Amino acid sequence: MTTLGIIQARTGSTRLPGKVLRRLGGRTVLHRVVRAARDSGVVDDLVVATTTEAADDAVAAECARIGVACHRGPVDDVLTRFLGVLAGRDDVHTVLRFTADCPLLDPALVRRVCDVFAASGVDYLTTSITRTLPRGLDVEVVRAAVLRAIDDRATGYHRTHVTSYLYSHPDEFDVIGVTVLPDRSHLRLTLDTEDDWKLIEAIVDRFGDRPVGVAAVAEWLAEHPELVELNAHVHQKELSQA
């Protein structure tokens, strides 16, 4: 049974256009996410799911440059993009969902969460139901058959967020949340604004181009609270604002 990683990526961010192709530590943000997913050691195959917009020709070109497969589909209907990747892949049992705005993704954490999913036998597992991880390090794992099953149920923003229908309807599926202690949910390590960029740049300047574990990043930031304040004011969009 195959485990497939899918990274959703596009250049059309409303708050920070082109963020996934910005260069960070010698490689693009997207390349860092691709490398982290591969370094986890749990994905048998990896695909970047981008849009058919002309602006995302640049994403497809970057995928070709770094040697990762690329699938193109609708802009806002990201679930259809994911299902397009799965089309004809009947061997895929497990899907890991990644987003290209998480350049500090922790490969070891991805591996641990995927191991829990495999042992649990559930339909869907996420670290974000009860948040203890910094935003930007969450891991989601879902059975491919379940993604296919929600195609005729998910509407509106649930199609944009791919998996939100699952945790919004836990009575229909076997869903569990994983908490990783200690609680570091006060940290924001995702890339959505210029202030997020300032913090992430500072972290990469300190640790270099290599992937870094969440504990090391959190311990260093505890010594530099002024850096944490750089993006502490940034609010994450609500699901319905997709």
Side-chain angles (χ1 to χ4, degrees), residues 63-86:
C63 290
R65 189 186 70 84
I66 62 179
V68 63
C70 180
H71 172 84
R72 305 184 72 166
V75 175
D76 295 322
D77 190 348
V78 189
L79 177 57
T80 289
R81 272 192 251 162
F82 273 57
L83 294 175
V85 174
L86 284 172

Side-chain angles (χ1 to χ4, degrees), residues 154-209:
T155 59
Y157 63 79
H158 288 312
R159 301 199 70 85
T160 301
H161 293 287
V162 184
T163 55
S164 60
Y165 184 90
L166 297 171
Y167 55 79
S168 299
H169 298 78
D171 54 316
E172 298 180 28
F173 299 97
D174 192 358
V175 174
I176 65 171
V178 171
T179 55
V180 180
L181 298 177
D183 187 346
R184 300 183 175 109
S185 58
H186 64 290
L187 298 174
R188 178 181 170 85
L189 301 179
T190 190
L191 177 59
D192 201 31
T193 69
E194 285 288 354
D195 288 333
D196 294 332
W197 177 257
K198 292 174 186 176
L199 174 58
I200 290 171
E201 259 198 325
I203 293 169
V204 173
D205 285 346
R206 165 61 181 82
F207 290 98
D209 188 46

Side-chain angles (χ1 to χ4, degrees), residues 36-194:
R38 286 174 168 165
D39 283 356
S40 72
V42 296
V43 295
D44 300 301
D45 199 3
L46 188 66
V47 178
V48 173
T50 192
T51 84
T52 54
E53 296 286 291
D56 288 324
D57 291 350
V59 173
E62 173 67 357
C63 290
R65 189 186 70 84
I66 62 179
V68 63
C70 180
H71 172 84
R72 305 184 72 166
V75 175
D76 295 322
D77 190 348
V78 189
L79 177 57
T80 289
R81 272 192 251 162
F82 273 57
L83 294 175
V85 174
L86 284 172
R89 294 172 178 257
D90 296 335
D91 62 318
V92 174
H93 174 269
T94 302
V95 175
L96 274 78
R97 176 186 176 231
F98 303 105
T99 57
D101 54 3
C102 298
L104 298 178
L105 187 67
D106 181 349
L109 181 62
V110 173
R111 182 165 56 252
R112 289 175 60 195
V113 173
C114 200
D115 287 345
V116 173
F117 176 84
S120 68
V122 298
D123 292 329
Y124 172 70
L125 180 150
T126 179
T127 59
S128 61
I129 290 177
T130 301
R131 182 174 297 284
T132 57
L133 288 169
R135 190 174 294 277
L137 273 74
D138 284 309
V139 183
E140 292 182 89
V141 196
V142 61
R143 291 197 299 115
V146 171
L147 273 186
R148 293 185 174 105
I150 64 173
D151 188 24
D152 60 356
R153 310 184 204 184
T155 59
Y157 63 79
H158 288 312
R159 301 199 70 85
T160 301
H161 293 287
V162 184
T163 55
S164 60
Y165 184 90
L166 297 171
Y167 55 79
S168 299
H169 298 78
D171 54 316
E172 298 180 28
F173 299 97
D174 192 358
V175 174
I176 65 171
V178 171
T179 55
V180 180
L181 298 177
D183 187 346
R184 300 183 175 109
S185 58
H186 64 290
L187 298 174
R188 178 181 170 85
L189 301 179
T190 190
L191 177 59
D192 201 31
T193 69
E194 285 288 354

